[in-house]
Amino acid sequence: MGVPKLKMAMFVRKKKNKSGTISIQIIIKDSGKYKVVETIGSTKDKNQLDYLIKKAHYRISQIIGQEELELFSKTENDIVKFLTNNDSLKIKVIGPENILGSIYDKMGFNQINEELFRNLVITRLVYPGSKLKTIDYLRRYGETSIDVDKIYRFLDKLNKKYKTKVEEITYQHTRKILGGKIGIVFYDITTLYFEASSEDDMRRLGFSKDGKAQNPQILLGLLVGVDGYPIGYEMYKGNSFEGHTLLPILEKYQKKLETNKPVVIADSGLLSTENIKQLEGKGYKYIIGGRLKNESAEVKNVILKKAFESCLAADRDGEAYEIKKGEKIRLIISYSKKRASKDEHNRQRGLNRLEKNIAAERLTKKQINNRGYNKYLKLTGEIKVEIDYEKFNEDKKWDGLKSYITNSKLPKEKVIENYRSLWQIEKAFRISKTDLKVRPIYHRLKERIEAHICVAFTAYAIYKELERLLHKKKISFSAKRAIELTETIYQLDFILPESKQKLSIKINLTEEQKLLYLICN
């Protein structure tokens, strides 16, 4: 088709087929009919779609430029001619490398002299997904062509070769931003499942926090400092007992801390008499979430008596008290109105569900167990299941109460404050599982699973540093939004026709993108 006349309307059209693929076309309207001038490309990816639309508008300017040359002055004419006929013009995405690559370097990860590792980490932040998606992203935006076999060969050696260095760089960076001392560490563990049906030495069936008990899984233990800054991680077999993972990871990183042993904060799921004895035997101070109803009858009576006297009677929301458990261990109890309201709501909802099931005769003696709200069920006669309302009402006494076990000398208010910061590690797992898509895992080989986790851990460290820098520079948008902005920062590369000089120009930075560049300085 020849160059269309200027009287014709020319525009960009998005055409979607049944599979969801969108084609970007340049269309003209001539004599009431629409004609396709050129198809720019097709994609399902939102970021690629934005790029194709920009490319289409640029192509329109090239097409109509040939018809409009006479409308410009000589200087403008030369500019349009240059843009129209210059084969050296290239538009590429530079934001991820300029912003995230800069953070990668400043944190010290450039000490790992391996370009493929850098590519895998930055792509995990910008375009998380399978290794095939990584290849696709690097080809489209990074102008880098990598064979999938090369990636897999690299993954086979990555963990053994670079994990120790990754952890050392991450630890030193966290130590630096926390003022040179890590006095408090938080530990938790989560499950990561695999899209596979068979087990092996590493991937085992076990209790899944993702609700994927039918899938093989591994356990991932994560150690972080204040505000969720990463220190290190370890992987364990999927059927390992969570409580047995705490001391080994502490001992591993204690060798690096080079200071007095930190206060360890962990969830009640890691609480056991054996764990507490081991922590004390190794000289650790700890704050662990307690389980009030697992205490002895004597201790529970003291707890309820003190709760009534100290908290509930005076209606002092947020008040706390403590009970001695031996020479060194303190049981800290706090009361919260908000927690009490939530406890009551959940308990009532559980009761309503039981009543509904009993009315529908859907409950049998098999449901008589101590799991959840089934503890309110009891058998009367031989086969009749009823609700034990006395037990239900008895539980109300515990609404709003939360306990913490510690051997530290911290004031009780400080114990509670520090434990409440445990949500930072929950946030770390949430970021890793959602934003960085660390799960599900499709690898089968142990070396590749370990490499996958190592890349994700490095990406999380950069994510946290990006978050910190945004806060430091008082930039209001989130780290997730910042990463999205990097995907739309473009650069125009070209060669001047006479001097043959190579030049590069950033294209149309928005106000948000300009702010983003502040964190690199």
Side-chain angles (χ1 to χ4, degrees):
M1 181 178 291
V3 177
K5 301 298 181 182
L6 289 177
K7 65 180 181 179
M8 300 178 185
M10 186 176 295
F11 55 92
V12 177
R13 181 175 73 178
K14 294 189 289 186
K15 187 176 181 180
K16 189 173 184 179
N17 64 21
K18 291 181 180 179
S19 69
T21 300
I22 300 175
S23 297
I24 302 300
Q25 301 173 328
I26 296 175
I27 305 294
I28 59 170
K29 184 177 182 181
D30 184 20
S31 303
K33 295 182 179 180
Y34 293 97
K35 298 180 181 179
V36 178
V37 176
E38 189 175 327
T39 297
I40 301 300
S42 303
T43 186
K44 289 184 179 181
D45 181 71
K46 180 180 179 300
N47 298 316
Q48 176 70 355
L49 186 63
D50 293 338
Y51 169 73
L52 291 176
I53 292 172
K54 286 180 180 289
K55 186 176 178 180
H57 284 296
Y58 173 68
R59 181 62 183 138
I60 288 176
S61 71
Q62 286 184 310
I63 294 171
I64 66 175
Q66 297 174 29
E67 289 291 318
E68 294 182 333
L69 289 180
E70 68 274 11
L71 301 177
F72 296 103
S73 67
K74 185 176 186 302
T75 303
E76 291 170 332
N77 191 327
D78 289 341
I79 293 172
V80 174
K81 186 176 180 180
F82 170 74
L83 293 174
T84 304
N85 300 319
N86 195 328
D87 292 335
S88 72
L89 290 177
K90 288 184 179 179
I91 298 176
K92 65 181 181 181
V93 177
I94 60 168
E97 178 56 37
N98 280 191
I99 306 300
L100 303 175
S102 173
I103 295 174
Y104 180 99
D105 292 340
K106 289 179 179 178
M107 289 181 70
F109 288 113
N110 57 353
Q111 297 173 46
I112 299 173
N113 188 24
E114 181 60 68
E115 189 66 23
L116 186 49
F117 182 71
R118 181 192 191 93
N119 287 336
L120 288 172
V121 170
I122 293 177
T123 305
R124 174 61 47 179
L125 285 157
V126 178
Y127 195 58
S130 68
K131 299 304 174 287
L132 291 176
K133 284 188 176 182
T134 299
I135 292 171
D136 181 56
Y137 176 82
L138 292 173
R139 178 178 56 80
R140 289 183 180 184
Y141 301 111
E143 297 183 334
T144 302
S145 180
I146 301 177
D147 182 72
V148 67
D149 290 332
K150 181 180 178 181
I151 289 184
Y152 286 131
R153 286 195 300 271
F154 176 68
L155 292 178
D156 289 340
K157 65 178 182 179
L158 188 158
N159 192 74
K160 185 176 181 180
K161 193 172 182 180
Y162 298 120
K163 180 178 186 284
T164 300
K165 190 64 177 177
V166 163
E167 291 176 312
E168 180 64 26
I169 292 168
T170 304
Y171 166 74
Q172 292 298 343
H173 179 74
T174 292
R175 184 181 180 185
K176 178 182 176 182
I177 63 178
L178 293 180
K181 181 182 178 182
I182 299 179
I184 295 176
V185 296
F186 301 85
Y187 179 73
D188 203 357
I189 198 159
T190 193
T191 55
L192 299 175
Y193 66 90
F194 294 79
E195 288 297 342
S197 57
S198 58
E199 299 179 81
D200 54 31
D201 288 343
M202 191 71 185
R203 303 176 304 160
R204 308 293 295 180
L205 295 176
F207 172 73
S208 172
K209 296 184 179 182
D210 299 316
K212 298 281 185 176
Q214 73 280 10
N215 295 67
Q217 64 180 22
I218 59 170
L219 299 185
L220 177 65
L222 184 62
L223 196 67
V224 305
V226 174
D227 292 328
Y229 297 118
I231 295 173
Y233 71 96
E234 282 298 324
M235 291 167 48
Y236 306 93
K237 292 181 180 180
N239 61 350
S240 301
F241 172 55
E242 292 183 6
H244 292 164
T245 67
L246 176 58
L247 197 62
I249 194 170
L250 287 175
E251 289 293 277
K252 174 183 174 180
Y253 286 98
Q254 178 56 41
K255 296 175 183 177
K256 297 182 179 182
L257 294 177
E258 300 171 4
T259 61
N260 293 330
K261 292 186 176 181
V263 176
V264 182
I265 302 177
D267 189 68
S268 58
L270 296 161
L271 175 65
S272 70
T273 303
E274 181 185 354
N275 259 1
I276 289 177
K277 286 182 179 178
Q278 287 182 346
L279 287 172
E280 291 176 345
K282 295 289 185 178
Y284 285 99
K285 301 298 181 185
Y286 56 81
I287 301 172
I288 299 178
R291 290 174 172 171
L292 284 170
K293 295 173 188 176
N294 286 358
E295 298 289 345
S296 67
E298 181 182 355
V299 172
K300 284 194 286 189
N301 287 335
V302 174
I303 290 171
L304 291 176
K305 185 175 184 296
K306 283 184 172 287
F308 180 78
E309 293 173 351
S310 178
C311 300
L312 304 181
D315 197 26
R316 291 181 289 182
D317 185 35
E319 282 289 323
Y321 60 94
E322 63 181 74
I323 298 171
K324 285 281 188 181
K325 292 188 66 177
E327 293 183 12
K328 299 178 180 179
I329 300 178
R330 299 150 63 207
L331 182 65
I332 311 295
I333 314 293
S334 70
Y335 172 78
S336 162
K337 274 186 176 181
K338 185 177 179 180
R339 190 188 302 122
S341 178
K342 182 180 178 182
D343 290 344
E344 183 174 16
H345 171 76
N346 289 340
R347 198 175 68 261
Q348 186 62 52
R349 186 175 61 178
L351 177 67
N352 293 342
R353 186 166 61 247
L354 290 176
E355 289 177 332
K356 184 177 178 180
N357 287 334
I358 281 182
E361 298 183 345
R362 285 199 291 261
L363 293 178
T364 68
K365 63 181 181 180
K366 290 182 179 180
Q367 273 77 44
I368 306 296
N369 55 57
N370 209 32
R371 291 197 295 269
Y373 297 107
N374 284 356
K375 63 187 176 182
Y376 299 138
L377 296 175
K378 66 178 181 178
L379 284 175
T380 60
E382 292 186 5
I383 57 172
K384 189 175 181 182
V385 177
E386 291 183 350
I387 294 175
D388 188 341
Y389 288 97
E390 184 177 343
K391 192 172 184 180
F392 173 81
N393 293 325
E394 186 73 17
D395 260 5
K396 183 177 178 61
K397 296 176 182 179
W398 300 97
D399 286 355
L401 295 177
K402 170 69 179 174
S403 67
Y404 315 86
I405 296 174
T406 184
N407 65 341
S408 72
K409 294 182 180 180
L410 293 171
K412 56 182 182 293
E413 293 79 14
K414 205 67 179 176
V415 169
I416 296 169
E417 179 187 337
N418 283 325
Y419 184 86
R420 284 175 178 169
S421 296
L422 195 60
W423 69 270
Q424 290 283 358
I425 203 166
E426 295 170 358
K427 179 184 176 184
F429 282 134
R430 187 169 64 252
I431 291 170
S432 298
K433 290 181 177 181
T434 55
D435 296 350
L436 303 181
K437 291 184 172 59
V438 73
R439 63 168 188 187
I441 303 173
Y442 295 91
H443 297 295
R444 293 184 302 104
L445 301 179
K446 181 175 181 288
E447 292 79 7
R448 294 179 186 177
I449 295 167
E450 291 171 336
H452 175 75
I453 301 301
C454 186
V455 168
F457 176 78
T458 310
Y460 171 70
I462 293 171
Y463 188 102
K464 282 299 297 182
E465 178 63 1
L466 172 61
E467 196 173 63
R468 186 185 74 85
L469 291 171
L470 289 169
H471 179 74
K472 181 180 178 182
K473 296 288 185 179
K474 296 182 171 56
I475 298 174
S476 60
F477 48 79
S478 67
K480 184 177 181 180
R481 172 60 180 160
I483 292 171
E484 290 172 352
L485 288 170
T486 69
E487 300 173 64
T488 54
I489 297 176
Y490 300 96
Q491 177 176 289
L492 176 64
D493 295 337
F494 57 93
I495 300 174
L496 293 175
E498 294 184 8
S499 66
K500 304 302 180 183
Q501 181 183 359
K502 293 182 180 180
L503 294 178
S504 299
I505 300 173
K506 291 188 186 74
I507 300 176
N508 299 328
L509 286 182
T510 65
E511 289 304 312
E512 282 186 317
Q513 288 169 338
K514 289 176 183 176
L515 283 175
L516 197 52
Y517 269 89
L518 291 176
I519 72 172
C520 297
N521 301 319

